[in-house]
Amino acid sequence: PCALGLATPTAIIVGVGKGAREGILVKDAATLEKLHKVNVVVVDKTGTLTKGKPELASLNNLSKQSDAEIIAILASLENKSEHPIAHAIISYAKEKNIGLLPVEQFGMMKGKGISGVINGVKYFVGSAKLAEEHSASLASLEKETSEGKTPVILVVENTVLAIAMIADQIKPEAVSAVKALHSLGIKVVMLTGDDKNTARFIADQVGIDEVVAEVLPEDKLNLIKDLQSGKFENWKLKIGNSSQGLVVAMAGDGVNDAPALAQADVGIAMATGTDVAIESAGITLLHGDISKLVKAIRLSKITMRGIKQNLFW
Ligand code: ADP
Ligand code: MG
C-alpha cells in the first residue's frame, strides 16, 4: 500500500522539479496532470505572441496643432495607463523631450482605450472601434493594419485629431512553438482585443488556426467556456467531435487575460506579464518564452507515463 501511495506523488515531484529547471514553474500538481489532455491552446496576441514592447512607428497628424503638441496630449493621457501601447507613446515623448501636461478626469474603457481632460478639452484615445463610437469619421487604415500595426486614434468631439501607428515585433520562438503544437495534434486559437487586420497579419505570420479579434476581456472568458462546452460549430476550427467539448489551455500575460486564464483547464502566464495574470494561472513560463509551453506538455505526458509505470511496479 505504501508503494501505491507513493507512485503518483514521486512522479509529480520529479516532474515539477524538472519543469522548474527548464523555466516552467508549475503552481499545483493537478495542472501538470491536466496538461497532457489539452487539445486546443488559446493564446493572447500582445505580449504572448509579440514581444509586448511596441514602438510608435508613425504619426498621421490631421489637426492644426504641431506634432509635438499632439504627442504631448497622447503621452500625458497614456501616462495614466499601464497598457503596452502606453509605454510606446510615453517613451517616444521622452525621446523627443516632450513634456507632459496635467490630466483630469482620467477614464479607462476596457479593451478600447482611455479618456481624459487636458486644459478643459475632453480627449479619447484608442481603437478604431472607439473612434466609431464617437462618430468620428476615419479614413481606411487597411494598409497599415494589414502590416500588423495597431492604430491608436486621438479623438476630440467627433473629430479625429491624429492617428498613431504602433508596431510590435513577433517573438521568433512563437512560430516554432505553434509548429510544435501542431505536430502534437493541438490546434492554436488567438484571441485579441486588437484590430481585425492587425490580428490577421500576426496570426498568418505565426501559423495560427483560428483568430478572434476585437474581443473585450469578458468575451475572452466566454469564448473559452464555448470551447470547453463544445459550442463552436460556427468556428472554422475542426477538432474531433465538436459537441464533446475540448480541454483548453490558455496562454496570456495581461490584466484582461486573467479571467480567461482562470477559466481555462490549464492557465499559462508569461513571467514577463502582469501579476494578476500570473496569480490566475497554474503555470508560469520564465522570460515569457512561449516555446516552453510545448516542453511543458511533453513533461506532462512523461509525468503521466511515470505515474502509470510506478503504479504497475
Ligand atoms: P489585447 O488583447 O491585444 O491585449 P486589449 O484588450 O488590452 O488587447 O486592448 C484592445 C485594444 O484597445 C488595443 O488594441 C487598443 O487598440 C485599444 N487600447 C486599449 N488600451 C489602450 C490604451 N491605453 N491606449 C490606446 N489604445 C488602447
Ligand atoms: Mg496581452
Side-chain angles (χ1 to χ4, degrees):
C2 291
L4 271 181
L6 281 170
T8 305
T10 41
I12 297 256
I13 287 167
V14 172
V16 170
K18 265 200 167 152
R21 253 173 282 142
E22 295 265 5
I24 302 159
L25 309 180
V26 181
K27 204 185 286 167
D28 60 321
T31 306
L32 199 56
E33 287 185 58
K34 265 186 244 157
L35 199 53
H36 81 287
K37 288 193 217 137
V38 162
N39 35 29
V40 58
V41 171
V42 177
V43 289
D44 155 60
K45 180 179 75 69
T46 321
T48 305
L49 294 179
T50 67
K51 290 186 177 161
K53 292 209 174 63
E55 285 175 2
L56 193 140
S58 65
L59 178 75
N60 183 6
N61 184 354
L62 304 166
S63 74
K64 294 195 181 81
Q65 284 152 287
S66 70
D67 285 4
E69 281 168 319
I70 293 291
I71 294 291
I73 295 169
L74 281 173
S76 308
L77 292 162
E78 293 289 6
N79 199 31
K80 307 220 173 220
S81 161
E82 289 191 335
H83 202 274
I85 288 176
H87 293 292
I89 293 173
I90 295 161
S91 54
Y92 182 82
K94 272 199 191 130
E95 224 174 80
K96 300 268 168 191
N97 285 320
I98 297 173
L100 300 185
L101 308 160
V103 173
E104 291 159 47
Q105 300 172 35
F106 177 80
M108 211 162 65
M109 286 79 70
K110 261 200 228 156
K112 286 185 203 152
I114 54 174
S115 67
V117 175
I118 299 176
N119 290 332
V121 182
K122 175 134 194 184
Y123 295 95
F124 294 88
V125 181
S127 63
K129 220 180 187 172
L130 182 77
E132 269 164 39
E133 276 174 25
H134 291 272
S135 28
S137 67
L138 202 60
S140 167
L141 293 170
E142 205 167 318
K143 185 184 163 286
E144 292 89 347
T145 50
S146 59
E147 288 165 359
K149 294 184 191 127
T150 304
V152 171
I153 298 149
L154 176 62
V155 179
V156 87
E157 265 192 54
N158 313 341
T159 317
V160 174
L161 290 189
I163 304 164
M165 297 305 304
I166 308 287
D168 197 2
Q169 282 172 356
I170 293 171
K171 290 181 188 172
E173 69 268 22
V175 181
S176 49
V178 170
K179 262 198 202 126
L181 287 172
H182 284 160
S183 72
L184 291 172
I186 295 169
K187 298 278 180 185
V188 187
V189 177
M190 181 174 106
L191 298 186
T192 179
D194 210 336
D195 176 90
K196 282 201 176 76
N197 280 325
T198 313
R200 183 80 261 162
F201 175 85
I202 304 281
D204 287 346
Q205 299 279 304
V206 182
I208 301 283
D209 300 293
E210 172 123 57
V211 192
V212 190
E214 295 176 17
V215 286
L216 297 176
E218 55 270 30
D219 297 335
K220 289 196 181 185
L221 169 83
N222 289 328
L223 288 164
I224 301 270
K225 279 190 188 160
D226 286 351
L227 286 170
Q228 286 171 325
S229 56
K231 282 193 225 133
F232 54 94
E233 308 88 20
N234 302 333
W235 297 44
K236 270 185 283 155
L237 201 68
K238 291 281 167 280
I239 308 170
N241 183 352
S242 53
S243 62
Q244 266 173 5
L246 305 171
V247 183
V248 184
M250 158 89 193
D253 73 325
V255 180
N256 56 347
D257 299 319
L261 288 172
Q263 173 64 34
D265 296 282
V266 181
I268 300 152
M270 305 294 127
T272 44
T274 53
D275 293 345
V276 206
I278 294 170
E279 233 7 74
S280 316
I283 292 182
T284 301
L285 303 179
L286 279 191
H287 315 298
D289 183 352
I290 185 84
S291 64
K292 296 216 161 86
L293 171 57
V294 185
K295 281 193 182 151
I297 293 173
R298 291 214 180 96
L299 183 67
S300 169
K301 290 193 185 208
I302 295 168
T303 306
M304 292 314 291
R305 205 188 309 144
I307 290 174
K308 282 177 196 148
Q309 273 173 0
N310 286 354
L311 282 172
F312 171 77
W313 285 115

